[in-house]
Amino acid sequence: MYNLKSENPIRILSIDLLRGLTVAGMILVNNPGTWSNMYWPLKHAKWDGCTPTDLVFPFFLFVVGASIPYSISNGIQEFPKILKRASILIFLGLFLNFFGEWSFANLRFPGVLQRIGFAYFFGAIVYREKNLKFRIFLFVSLLISYWYLQEFVPPPGALEPSMKEGKDWGAWLDREIFGQAHLWKFGKVWDPEGLLTSFTSIGSVFCGIFAGEFIKVHLEKRESLLSISGKIALGAFIVLLVSGVWGIYYPINKSLWTGTYSLWTAGWALLVISLFLILEKFDRLEFKALKIFLLPFGKNALLVFFGSGIFARSLNIIMVSSPEGKKIPLKNMIYLEYYKSWIDSPELSSFLYSVTVLVLWFLILFFLDKKRLYWKI
């Protein structure tokens, strides 16, 4: 069931490219030589705000949503297929959390793949080609109700509403449902991929669905790529303006997955798609090179996400002897001996390690792409 399969021929280039860019960005930000030394664009915002790295996860969900109109026509009727895909994603996410920790007692329940599976399930189930107004109503209701909850309703045991780390509604709900032992070990009392924020992250999937069906409808009308690109760019600027103004009063926050964060990141995703449509129209040499690099990542996103997670964890659990005779993770030895030892800048050495991992995965995926082998669920 999980074997590599031949590619499904129905693909939209701009969506594949955005997926590829997102996966490549994920590898770059998740595999530094050391987390202590990173260039600021490769770091998450400490709490409020949005760095380039904070675009990666919502771009994932946006692309998941953008693909739904091309694979599903009626979510309710296709419930078994949707449930199967979501369940596999959640199981793979739990396995990644278990790998290297080897503890059920402290197994982290939330996670990235779990959230993708969860948000995909609800976004796909409510999708039907003829219920656009209903989905818009759900989307707006989701954003407004979550905003109201955070801004005006105190969490249990609190005297006033809170959007502070570990003191918000999501943190309280995760502790009640999962228990602290099953949350992100660095957060201790809260989890960035918790249950409540997984519901609000469905908003990012909805944004992708709206974009995907917009492209689909206009391509079916044989509208030019430049015209579609212009309309998407206009929509992107409107979404960015709305989220930017709303963000003055309601912070853009990834860990809380606020409505402003969903809209802000969706606006940037729309701009990138608009750019890819323009590049596709002119199809110059530079764009051909970009396609060669990004498409292997976009076509095998699940494989590289899961594989890169196993790869990184394996390098951290395999212990070797350092030149001083101490036992250190294999990853630390590689970084210290082949990067930090001859590069003065700690940020540059850490970044070049990330680039090496990125190139390694490109070579693997490029080979699989040539063989037309893709991991599908």
Side-chain angles (χ1 to χ4, degrees):
M1 180 165 53
Y2 308 121
N3 291 335
L4 292 177
K5 301 178 182 179
S6 295
E7 175 190 14
N8 185 329
I10 302 175
R11 310 201 70 101
I12 301 299
L13 180 59
S14 58
I15 295 176
D16 271 342
L17 288 171
L18 179 59
R19 187 186 298 109
L21 178 66
T22 303
V23 173
M26 178 270 297
I27 294 175
L28 204 60
V29 303
N30 282 356
N31 293 277
T34 171
W35 293 99
S36 301
N37 295 294
M38 300 170 65
Y39 293 118
W40 76 263
L42 303 178
K43 297 180 180 180
H44 289 290
K46 290 184 177 180
W47 192 244
D48 293 339
C50 183
T51 71
T53 293
D54 293 316
L55 297 176
V56 173
F57 197 177
F59 273 26
F60 258 115
L61 294 178
F62 184 95
V63 171
V64 166
S67 302
I68 287 175
Y70 301 94
S71 59
I72 293 171
S73 58
N74 187 314
I76 296 297
Q77 292 180 359
E78 299 175 63
F79 177 81
K81 178 177 73 173
I82 293 169
L83 178 62
K84 171 191 168 185
R85 289 177 175 172
S87 299
I88 292 172
L89 287 170
I90 292 171
F91 171 78
L92 292 175
L94 288 171
F95 181 80
L96 276 178
N97 287 353
F98 180 72
F99 189 89
E101 300 292 336
W102 316 122
S103 170
F104 287 108
N106 295 293
L107 174 65
R108 181 191 176 198
F109 291 154
V112 172
L113 280 178
Q114 293 93 309
R115 171 165 291 181
I116 293 174
F118 183 88
Y120 162 77
F121 176 81
F122 286 98
I125 282 295
V126 302
Y127 178 77
R128 189 161 57 86
E129 292 178 346
K130 304 298 183 180
N131 70 345
L132 176 60
K133 291 182 180 179
F134 173 67
R135 285 183 280 114
I136 292 175
F137 170 76
L138 286 181
F139 173 66
V140 174
S141 298
L142 178 66
L143 297 187
I144 293 177
S145 59
Y146 185 51
W147 163 75
Y148 183 85
L149 178 70
Q150 289 186 303
E151 288 280 8
F152 300 107
V153 183
L159 298 177
E160 58 183 9
S162 175
M163 294 178 64
K164 296 180 180 179
E165 183 176 324
K167 298 180 180 180
D168 63 285
W169 265 99
W172 173 83
L173 188 64
D174 290 337
R175 292 194 296 268
E176 289 294 311
I177 294 180
F178 299 133
Q180 288 186 209
H182 299 289
L183 301 181
W184 185 46
K185 62 183 179 182
F186 298 107
K188 297 181 180 179
V189 297
W190 66 281
D191 196 295
E193 278 81 52
L195 183 59
L196 182 61
T197 51
S198 290
F199 273 106
T200 61
S201 71
I202 299 170
S204 295
V205 174
F206 272 126
C207 290
I209 292 175
F210 297 144
E213 61 187 337
F214 180 88
I215 295 172
K216 181 181 180 182
V217 167
H218 287 269
L219 285 178
E220 289 174 349
K221 293 179 179 178
R222 299 189 179 279
E223 190 170 333
S224 72
L225 293 178
L226 285 181
S227 175
I228 298 174
S229 172
K231 292 176 180 178
I232 290 177
L234 177 60
F237 286 121
I238 293 173
V239 171
L240 287 172
L241 178 62
V242 170
S243 58
V245 173
W246 194 14
I248 297 173
Y249 309 97
Y250 181 38
I252 296 171
N253 186 299
K254 175 185 179 295
S255 294
L256 298 176
W257 212 284
T258 55
T260 49
Y261 177 70
S262 292
L263 292 175
W264 180 257
T265 54
W268 284 106
L270 289 170
L271 277 181
V272 174
I273 284 183
S274 175
L275 175 61
F276 283 149
L277 287 169
I278 294 173
L279 295 175
E280 182 182 354
K281 168 65 177 177
F282 296 103
D283 201 21
R284 296 181 182 274
L285 180 62
E286 297 86 349
F287 183 58
K288 295 182 188 296
L290 187 66
K291 287 192 292 184
I292 290 172
F293 180 71
L294 291 182
L295 285 179
F297 290 101
K299 293 179 179 180
N300 238 332
L302 179 58
L303 174 66
V304 66
F305 187 98
F306 184 77
S308 64
I310 294 294
F311 176 75
R313 287 164 173 78
S314 297
L315 291 181
N316 279 313
I317 63 177
I318 297 173
M319 305 300 290
V320 296
S321 295
S322 69
E324 294 78 23
K326 298 180 180 179
K327 290 290 184 180
I328 61 173
L330 177 59
K331 184 238 177 131
N332 290 5
M333 191 275 288
I334 294 172
Y335 172 64
L336 293 172
E337 290 294 315
Y338 299 103
Y339 294 87
K340 188 177 181 181
S341 63
W342 61 277
I343 300 173
D344 292 333
S345 168
E347 289 80 10
L348 179 59
S349 63
S350 182
F351 176 69
L352 289 179
Y353 180 92
S354 300
V355 172
T356 303
V357 176
L358 180 65
V359 171
L360 174 64
W361 276 106
F362 167 72
L363 294 175
I364 295 171
L365 297 172
F366 183 78
F367 171 79
L368 293 175
D369 188 37
K370 289 299 181 183
K371 296 293 184 180
R372 298 182 65 81
L373 295 173
Y374 308 92
W375 192 8
K376 303 293 183 182
I377 57 174

